[in-house]
Amino acid sequence: QGTRDHPPAQAALRERLLSAVVSCFKRHGAAAIDTPVLELRETLVGKYGEGTKLIYELQDQGGELLALRYDLTVPFARYLAMNKVTKMKRYHIAKVYRRDNPATTRGRYREFYQCDFDIAGQCDPMIPDAECLKIVHEILSDLQLGDFVIKVNDRRILNGVFAVCGVPESKFIPACSTVDKLDKVPWEEVRNEMVGEKGLSPEAADRIGEYVQLHGGLDLIEQLLQDPKLSQNKLAKEGLGDMKLLFEYLTLFGITGKISFDLSLARGLDYYTGVIFEAVLLQQDNEHVEEPVSVGSVAGGGRYDGLVGMFDPKGRKVPCVGVSIGIERIFSILEQRLEASGEKLRTTETQVLVATPQKDLLAARLKLISELWDAGIKAEMLYRKDPKLLKQLQYCEDTGIPLAAIVGEQELADGVVKLRDVATRKEVKV
Amino acid sequence: QGTRDHPPAQAALRERLLSAVVSCFKRHGAAAIDTPVLELRETLVGKYGEGTKLIYELQDQGGELLALRYDLTVPFARYLAMNKVTKMKRYHIAKVYRRDNPATTRGRYREFYQCDFDIAGQCDPMIPDAECLKIVHEILSDLQLGDFVIKVNDRRILNGVFAVCGVPESKFIPACSTVDKLDKVPWEEVRNEMVGEKGLSPEAADRIGEYVQLHGGLDLIEQLLQDPKLSQNKLAKEGLGDMKLLFEYLTLFGITGKISFDLSLARGLDYYTGVIFEAVLLQQDNEHVEEPVSVGSVAGGGRYDGLVGMFDPKGRKVPCVGVSIGIERIFSILEQRLEASGEKLRTTETQVLVATPQKDLLAARLKLISELWDAGIKAEMLYRKDPKLLKQLQYCEDTGIPLAAIVGEQELADGVVKLRDVATRKEVKV
């Protein structure tokens, strides 16, 4: 339940999609790494907040207690600490596992791909962070998914907001996870949860409400830097200063048009320590042509400067920032779009079918196809001794093979091959 | 234990290796599919003979009883039956899991890649079987792994041998798994196991010994077709007839030089029903240059006509033949060879580093690199506000980046970029 086979048509679409993502990651100079699907259970436990209960655990069959990886970020941090790597730009595309309630129609599965790009190492502020946003912008533009916006915030700003609104530090994380719901439910509900479940005072909640409903660009950053309360808070000031720097770099990249500084963005995971971001597609309610689906977030990430230190025996920190592309949701969109277009994706790359028009010519076909393979040509033949020519040509049409190389008795006698263009039926002897 | 991270250098070598294998599979017209790492436990149990005890099982956390896939063949058969697919040529490259005693120095892990190519569907005899052998030949030749031989046998011939030597049918499978050890231990030991553990009569064992130590080519097939006992056995006769046909096709492919009809080849898995084969590298004890390692089998496969039927509610059979490339062993060889050569494999594909020779030029770098990325150029820069030029050029040399695009104050004023060839130090203005 919650897993699926990918038949050839889906696998081909997925390959096309992943190759667009990989070529972007490579364009930014990332190296690939691979880590096991299995991790020690203790590596994963306590890293995902409420997600921890969704970890798939292996049976104790003697030996180590194992679990399936929940994401690619924690294994990456474990890898850096274990190998004492302090600087690295890597991408990793692999499956992760969550014992969640699957919602397969919305592209949510228990086994799904993640595509992560991360920059680890000491850097000057906001330079790698800006590159992560540039990557999201490039990928979403390349894939022509329609209009999108990348929301940006900073955990330090959020914590600063909580502090100046009178929230005790112990309640920062619960408050954060409540704010995170603002993209799905109205402020009133969020406020009720803060006051009811999370035990904040109504006054604090109202003050928070004034901040977290704000979003904008450089102007908003400037405004908050002048905010009499927030400008007095060390964390908020740092975060806002860096946010300003980030916008400066994004301006040089020419992508601020798609960026929104949004104080309601909180992100679920505990390990973020600085910039956080999330890209969402914007609904298009124009024609029926595009058939937009509500898919929510298609990319997200942020800065996590403390995670590697959790795996190092001496607690040595390696600052990291990274982005994860929500490939499953994007895949759902592309799949629906492909279906709507009626276009048929080829599942093979075969260039030529080796065919015979008469009987008893299997040997000739085998000899020719072997020559083609050895020359690097992608070639197929039917696995029949004496297939009908019509059936062979039909196979080409069904599978999109553009050429048929035909050897009949006459061709054999003349030492030629008849090359037929399947679509135009034009034939030449070679 | 028994798993490993693949750091960038290994991941790059692996990518190169897998891409050679995939391009061969695509050359033969295969489509890709993907199946989940998780299978229902009941799907896997009872398919692998003694291997069943090595299956990784997931903890019962409520819901289905799950296990990690043990190979790619059983999931493929399950896929065909579940989707009622009766004809398909597919490849699948993915990780499989075995709770085995790891022997990591010999390239044996608990998590490892398999690269499978299979042809499912009703075909005329030996045509797809011959193609599988051609594929093994192409891949091993392409990868320049040194001399190799592909041993071929047929389960029907083996069963015929057992029958005419007086082995009761119930002992065919145990006898088979004993014969399979002949490549590792001498005949005497195999004979002892047959008589002792497996309960065969000494006479039967001796008669088997006469057959299973034979290997050769077409001549041997002809000889056995004339064998007074074997030629009377229906199964053996069928198998030998098909073996003759197979050699005919392999002759047309021009690859019989590397093929050995070897009656000692038995293969461990229960599900084979016809042709079986295994490729082994031959030791080279010439110079130290090559540093050959004993790696055993590097590819194997065979025909399994009954497996799909086991998953079909009505038992409908789909004949299949396939090959699995032993990528981990090949990887070990290539890795050792690369190490011995001292060659350094690049882990990234970056074409140009954007650099500055003076301070306060971060904005110029960000602007230029953004233009390069948007033009599809693979470009990097150091994540520092004011890096030293020497450090930037050093980074190029360390990571193999061939070009540096330098923007200094003068270049900015002139509206040019200085393009430096890192190896030759030649510079041109563009």
Side-chain angles (χ1 to χ4, degrees), chain B residues 149-166:
Chain B
V149 64
I150 310 175
K151 299 178 190 174
V152 186
N153 198 3
D154 193 300
R155 276 285 170 90
R156 291 167 298 173
I157 299 176
L158 270 181
N159 287 342
V161 166
F162 295 145
V164 304
C165 294

Side-chain angles (χ1 to χ4, degrees), chain B residues 48-332:
Chain B
Y48 302 108
E50 298 195 352
T52 297
K53 67 175 187 295
L54 303 180
I55 294 172
Y56 268 108
E57 304 192 347
L58 263 72
Q59 206 177 87
D60 184 357
Q61 294 174 289
E64 302 147 316
L65 295 180
L66 302 172
L68 301 185
R69 64 180 162 213
Y70 181 89
D71 70 358
L72 302 177
T73 309
V74 167
F76 176 54
R78 193 262 311 144
Y79 171 87
L80 292 175
M82 213 165 118
N83 296 286
K84 298 194 171 47
V85 176
T86 56
K87 206 174 157 185
M88 174 173 231
K89 185 154 55 172
R90 82 89 177 79
Y91 73 90
H92 191 184
I93 295 183
K95 287 174 172 175
V96 302
Y97 299 84
R98 297 186 189 175
R99 245 166 39 80
D100 210 343
N101 282 328
T104 50
T105 47
R106 287 187 289 134
R108 202 167 75 196
Y109 289 86
R110 288 180 166 181
E111 173 186 65
F112 57 95
Y113 277 97
Q114 281 198 337
C115 301
D116 282 25
F117 172 98
D118 291 78
I119 300 169
Q122 206 63 54
C123 305
D124 281 327
M126 294 300 114
I127 309 179
D129 312 62
E131 183 167 355
C132 288
L133 292 170
K134 177 79 171 89
I135 283 174
V136 174
H137 192 279
E138 281 177 29
I139 290 174
L140 297 184
S141 306
D142 280 359
L143 294 174
Q144 300 179 296
L145 296 172
D147 205 11
F148 61 87
V149 64
I150 310 175
K151 299 178 190 174
V152 186
N153 198 3
D154 193 300
R155 276 285 170 90
R156 291 167 298 173
I157 299 176
L158 270 181
N159 287 342
V161 166
F162 295 145
V164 304
C165 294
V167 177
E169 212 178 313
S170 64
K171 289 189 175 162
F172 281 5
I173 288 182
C176 208
S177 68
T178 306
V179 167
D180 197 42
K181 296 176 183 163
L182 259 184
D183 60 336
K184 289 177 202 85
V185 301
W187 166 246
E188 270 315 302
E189 269 183 57
V190 169
R191 185 184 178 282
N192 287 345
E193 184 176 313
M194 280 185 174
V195 177
E197 242 173 85
K198 305 292 164 86
L200 270 56
S201 73
E203 298 73 29
D206 288 335
R207 281 194 291 266
I208 292 172
E210 281 170 36
Y211 285 109
V212 296
Q213 293 182 78
L214 299 172
H215 54 91
L218 250 179
D219 48 338
L220 178 59
I221 302 171
E222 296 291 0
Q223 177 194 320
L224 291 176
L225 276 169
Q226 307 302 322
D227 183 280
K229 282 179 292 176
L230 219 48
S231 60
Q232 298 308 306
N233 179 280
K234 189 174 166 289
L235 270 181
K237 221 177 133 186
E238 256 182 52
L240 286 165
D242 277 349
M243 190 59 74
K244 196 175 159 186
L245 198 58
L246 180 66
F247 266 76
E248 202 179 288
Y249 297 161
L250 299 178
T251 306
L252 289 163
F253 286 161
I255 61 170
T256 42
K258 302 279 188 200
I259 310 280
S260 168
F261 171 40
D262 188 326
L263 277 103
S264 74
L265 179 72
R267 306 258 320 145
L269 297 166
D270 296 353
Y271 52 63
Y272 290 120
T273 55
V275 166
I276 45 178
F277 54 87
E278 201 166 287
V280 290
L281 296 187
L282 299 177
Q283 284 282 5
Q284 295 150 320
D285 27 34
N286 45 347
E287 277 74 40
H288 310 297
V289 194
E290 282 283 313
E291 295 211 15
V293 268
S294 177
V295 287
S297 152
V298 288
R303 177 161 283 286
Y304 51 100
D305 289 346
L307 192 59
V308 178
M310 293 172 72
F311 296 108
D312 186 277
K314 290 181 184 158
R316 278 168 298 212
K317 288 187 175 180
V318 177
C320 294
V321 63
V323 52
S324 186
I325 306 297
I327 210 73
E328 298 293 345
R329 287 177 167 178
I330 296 173
F331 178 75
S332 293

Side-chain angles (χ1 to χ4, degrees), chain A residues 100-157:
Chain A
D100 209 343
N101 283 327
T104 50
T105 45
R106 285 186 291 134
R108 201 167 76 196
Y109 289 87
R110 288 179 167 182
E111 174 187 64
F112 57 95
Y113 278 96
Q114 281 199 337
C115 300
D116 281 24
F117 172 98
D118 293 78
I119 300 169
Q122 206 63 54
C123 305
D124 281 327
M126 295 298 114
I127 309 180
D129 313 61
E131 183 167 355
C132 288
L133 292 171
K134 177 80 171 87
I135 284 175
V136 174
H137 192 277
E138 282 178 28
I139 290 175
L140 297 184
S141 306
D142 280 0
L143 293 173
Q144 299 179 297
L145 295 172
D147 204 12
F148 60 89
V149 65
I150 310 174
K151 299 179 191 172
V152 186
N153 198 2
D154 193 299
R155 276 287 171 90
R156 292 168 295 175
I157 299 176

